[in-house]
Amino acid sequence: MTVSKKIVLRFPPTLVDQPVVYRLVKDYNLSFNILKASVTPKEEGLLVLELTGKEKDYQRGIDFLSRLKIKIQPLSKDVTRDEDRCTHCGVCIDVCPTQAFVLDPKTKRVEFYKDKCIACELCIKICPPRAMELHF
Amino acid sequence: MKTISEINERIKKGKVVVTTAEEIIDLVDRKGLKKTSKEVDVVTTATFAPMCSSGAYFNIGQPKPKIKLGGGKVYLNGIPCYSGFAAGDFFLGVTSLPDDDPKNRIYPGEFRYGGGHLLEDLVSGKDVKLEAYGYGTDCYPRKRLSAWVNINDFNEAILFNPRNCYQNYNAAVNLSKKTIYTYMGMLKPNLGNAHYCSSGQLSPLLNDPYYRTIGLGTRVFLGGRVGYIAWYGTQHNPKVERTKKGIPKEPAGTLALIGDLKGMKQQWLRGASFLGYGATLIVGIGIPIPLLNEEICRFTTVKDKDIYTKIVDYSESHPSGEKSNLGEVNYEELKSGKITVCRKKVPTASLSSYSKAKEIAEILKSWIEEGSFFLTEPVERIPSVNSKVGFKPLKERPIR
Ligand code: SF4
Ligand code: SF4
């Protein structure tokens, strides 16, 4: 059975320049989609990944990450859009760090690509009619 | 040459030809100005954007025994209303906030519920809490009233907006090193983004730049039903710099609008919160332009790329009231998602919804085609470039 999960990884400074994700692919047959990657001022690495693979491989991959002292958290917050409230103004477009909002040049509607969202919550308070909702 | 009564005759007979301000552009490109201005009778324009100078007045009838609201206090869902009228009347403004709202004491304030949200609740038929305090007179003895009401409990509920429909608006940027929260949205530091607010080629007053057809008494689409232009709007400022085609390059004309709140639709009146700035109302407006002659038709073919606005810094020059202009940009560039300011590529975003404005223009078009909406002859013209009307900053005379 294949699983696909969104997880938040926090790397200690010693691991920031290691090819950890590459090992996940090569040694554990997992595929990944990087949703966000950054290094904090304390040089701790932050990586939000969507990790996909066979359930067994997935578990082994996670064990491998834990052995490296990488902190793993599920990305459990979920941001959705109330389609009825959205006015398609576009104010959210330039606040979203992952470009989850895209203005369709033809329809002039603002499309929300939920799979790109990392639930940073920036758009929630920015959206004037409060169409963006946070769920736990 | 056509007259409004001829157009109305065609509406009655079901023969009227209506296009939106977007459709007319292609049509004139294809068929030419002469032919199109003969064939098309009406062009519909629209906007759907936050408009803070909006509000509504109400009459409560009277409870038994009676209460004098005038000079007293009135709250709806905790939102303070203005009660300096007669015994049964009060006014609610869309930026009004509950007394206990932390406002910007917790910065940036969230302003989750204000006058605009309350208006949206009323329009959607919700019950709201009315609390009123009178000082008691011989004829209005009651001092306190606390009751649930909804829009149908009022004798009148009239939307009355002293300033809507700005003819063009600034593109806002932030030159400072910190994020600022403005009525133009959150502006990121060091030219991190640029926000604009106009429906551009669909915008009513940009399609009739000298107010040749739009005037006092013009019947319009307001909040989902019929409304009227009551007056020119506050801060109406026709004498600004214009392009060769007459399009203002900065905020210029405005309109005061009025209409029956009962029967308006929640979809077209939306409460909104601007982080760090305040609460407001997003208002849907549609205005028909009768194509009385070729010149009026030509004005309605205005395109996004013909409409220029100024890029204004909201970190310093705008708040201090100094004129600033970091360059001019047109709406085609703004809508492309990126503009160049001070040699930097800056992402853009809009506060006004073009897709919803288009929907309104389509609805107004269908009302006219169905014969349920007739055009009006303006009762009076709106002051234009040759008038004395204009905007001036307050000359402060300090009290010593
Ligand atoms: S800011 Fe809100 S209303 Fe505007 S497009 Fe984004 S989600 Fe929709
Ligand atoms: S929460 Fe909003 S701003 Fe943050 S990533 Fe998701 S869509 Fe973008």
Side-chain angles (χ1 to χ4, degrees):
Chain A
M1 212 181 81
T2 5
V3 289
S4 182
K5 284 183 186 159
K6 286 184 184 171
I7 50 173
V8 183
L9 305 179
R10 283 171 212 281
F11 292 61
T14 46
L15 277 180
V16 166
D17 49 6
Q18 300 290 313
V20 176
V21 178
Y22 170 76
R23 297 272 308 272
L24 285 178
V25 178
K26 191 153 176 295
D27 302 347
Y28 301 94
N29 298 318
L30 298 172
S31 66
F32 67 92
N33 186 6
I34 296 186
L35 301 170
K36 186 184 169 125
S38 66
V39 177
T40 67
K42 281 191 227 139
E43 304 234 321
E44 189 199 48
L46 176 90
L47 194 61
V48 185
L49 280 183
E50 184 172 9
L51 212 52
T52 312
K54 291 224 180 67
E55 198 169 354
K56 227 169 90 197
D57 293 337
Y58 182 88
Q59 208 41 59
R60 283 172 55 229
I62 295 287
D63 291 345
F64 156 72
L65 294 173
S66 325
R67 279 201 302 280
L68 291 175
K69 303 252 177 322
I70 292 172
K71 282 188 218 126
I72 309 163
Q73 275 170 356
L75 184 70
S76 58
K77 285 180 190 162
D78 192 24
V79 171
T80 58
R81 183 165 77 175
D82 179 341
E83 293 302 327
D84 184 52
R85 279 207 78 75
C86 172
T87 66
H88 298 275
C89 59
V91 192
C92 50
I93 294 176
D94 63 14
V95 303
C96 176
T98 60
Q99 277 86 45
F101 300 100
V102 179
L103 181 71
D104 183 322
K106 258 226 184 89
T107 62
K108 302 284 194 296
R109 290 166 67 89
V110 177
E111 299 302 334
F112 172 48
Y113 294 98
K114 198 168 174 303
D115 51 336
K116 286 196 182 166
C117 172
I118 55 160
C120 75
E121 299 172 40
L122 272 175
C123 58
I124 308 248
K125 291 180 185 172
I126 287 296
C127 168
R130 297 263 176 170
M132 300 307 295
E133 294 167 341
L134 181 67
H135 308 273
F136 291 92
Chain B
M1 290 284 278
K2 272 180 231 144
T3 65
I4 287 177
S5 51
E6 278 163 14
I7 295 175
N8 281 339
E9 205 47 48
R10 290 167 66 77
I11 298 177
K12 221 183 266 164
K13 287 191 186 132
K15 281 189 180 157
V16 71
V17 180
V18 191
T19 76
T20 66
E22 194 184 82
E23 291 162 342
I24 192 85
I25 298 172
D26 275 356
L27 216 58
V28 169
D29 268 354
R30 273 199 335 236
K31 294 190 167 178
L33 188 64
K34 216 177 182 149
K35 203 155 172 232
T36 314
S37 64
K38 272 206 195 104
E39 281 176 15
V40 179
D41 300 308
V42 187
V43 166
T44 57
T45 64
T47 178
F48 188 58
M51 303 191 199
C52 290
S53 262
S54 302
Y57 59 87
F58 301 85
N59 178 281
I60 57 159
Q62 277 291 348
K64 288 179 189 163
K66 294 177 179 177
I67 184 169
K68 181 175 188 284
L69 303 180
K73 282 197 158 72
V74 175
Y75 295 90
L76 279 181
N77 272 0
I79 308 260
C81 301
Y82 177 75
S83 60
F85 298 113
D89 295 338
F90 65 92
F91 190 91
L92 160 74
V94 299
T95 65
S96 187
L97 293 166
D99 293 337
D100 59 1
D101 189 295
K103 299 175 183 150
N104 261 345
R105 280 195 300 276
I106 302 166
Y107 180 81
E110 290 198 37
F111 309 101
R112 300 189 72 139
Y113 195 85
H117 301 88
L118 173 59
L119 269 190
E120 184 185 330
D121 279 347
L122 281 169
V123 166
S124 70
K126 280 195 191 146
D127 274 340
V128 300
K129 204 195 267 164
L130 166 69
E131 281 172 293
Y133 305 89
Y135 49 80
T137 71
D138 293 337
C139 43
Y140 293 95
R142 187 153 176 171
K143 292 194 171 153
R144 186 137 195 241
L145 170 65
S146 174
W148 290 106
V149 291
N150 65 37
I151 194 164
N152 296 317
D153 293 319
F154 296 111
N155 285 323
E156 284 81 23
I158 311 291
L159 188 74
F160 178 48
N161 304 346
R163 179 170 73 255
N164 280 176
C165 236
Y166 239 121
Q167 187 180 26
N168 212 344
Y169 214 78
N170 303 328
V173 295
N174 174 8
L175 290 178
S176 79
K177 288 199 182 73
K178 67 177 207 353
T179 299
I180 57 172
Y181 299 90
T182 74
Y183 67 85
M184 292 298 281
M186 180 182 84
L187 299 173
K188 298 197 222 173
N190 306 312
L191 288 168
N193 56 358
H195 282 178
Y196 61 99
C197 189
S198 168
S199 55
Q201 62 194 20
L202 264 183
S203 175
L205 293 179
L206 291 173
N207 279 277
D208 184 7
Y210 295 111
Y211 333 115
R212 296 264 156 88
T213 70
I214 299 174
L216 304 195
T218 296
R219 185 179 287 133
V220 302
F221 171 112
L222 178 61
R225 62 164 297 164
V226 164
Y228 295 88
I229 295 177
W231 203 253
Y232 57 90
T234 52
Q235 294 183 19
H236 181 67
N237 196 23
K239 290 183 287 184
V240 298
E241 196 189 337
R242 290 173 184 248
T243 63
K244 274 204 198 94
K245 290 183 179 166
I247 308 296
K249 288 186 179 180
E250 48 193 287
T254 66
L255 298 174
L257 299 176
I258 192 161
D260 194 346
L261 193 68
K262 294 184 186 180
M264 286 193 189
K265 300 214 162 58
Q266 183 191 14
Q267 192 190 358
W268 303 117
L269 287 179
R270 275 275 148 98
S273 312
F274 278 83
L275 189 61
Y277 181 72
T280 187
L281 185 72
I282 302 173
V283 185
I285 297 163
I287 303 187
I289 297 179
L291 298 191
L292 303 178
N293 56 46
E294 262 174 52
E295 195 192 19
I296 291 169
C297 179
R298 185 165 46 79
F299 281 131
T300 65
T301 61
V302 68
K303 296 185 194 70
D304 283 338
K305 69 165 189 259
D306 306 324
I307 310 166
Y308 281 83
T309 190
K310 292 185 170 148
I311 303 166
V312 174
D313 168 40
Y314 272 62
S315 69
E316 225 185 287
S317 47
H318 188 273
S320 62
E322 296 306 322
K323 278 244 168 195
S324 99
N325 180 7
L326 301 169
E328 283 174 6
V329 61
N330 69 43
Y331 281 87
E332 190 174 86
E333 293 164 325
L334 283 167
K335 287 179 185 175
S336 76
K338 263 206 170 90
I339 58 170
T340 308
V341 189
C342 307
R343 269 174 270 138
K344 196 182 161 189
K345 284 248 182 290
V346 180
T348 60
S350 169
L351 302 177
S352 168
S353 169
Y354 190 85
S355 67
K356 291 283 169 187
K358 211 163 124 178
E359 243 177 279
I360 293 172
E362 293 287 352
I363 294 173
L364 182 56
K365 177 176 154 180
S366 67
W367 286 358
I368 299 169
E369 286 170 343
E370 285 158 19
S372 59
F373 185 106
F374 287 86
L375 305 194
T376 46
E377 198 84 58
V379 182
E380 194 89 61
R381 294 279 300 273
I382 286 169
S384 189
V385 282
N386 41 21
S387 72
K388 288 208 178 87
V389 174
F391 176 81
K392 57 178 190 307
L394 180 70
K395 222 188 257 153
E396 216 172 307
R397 287 181 290 129
I399 299 164
R400 285 183 227 282

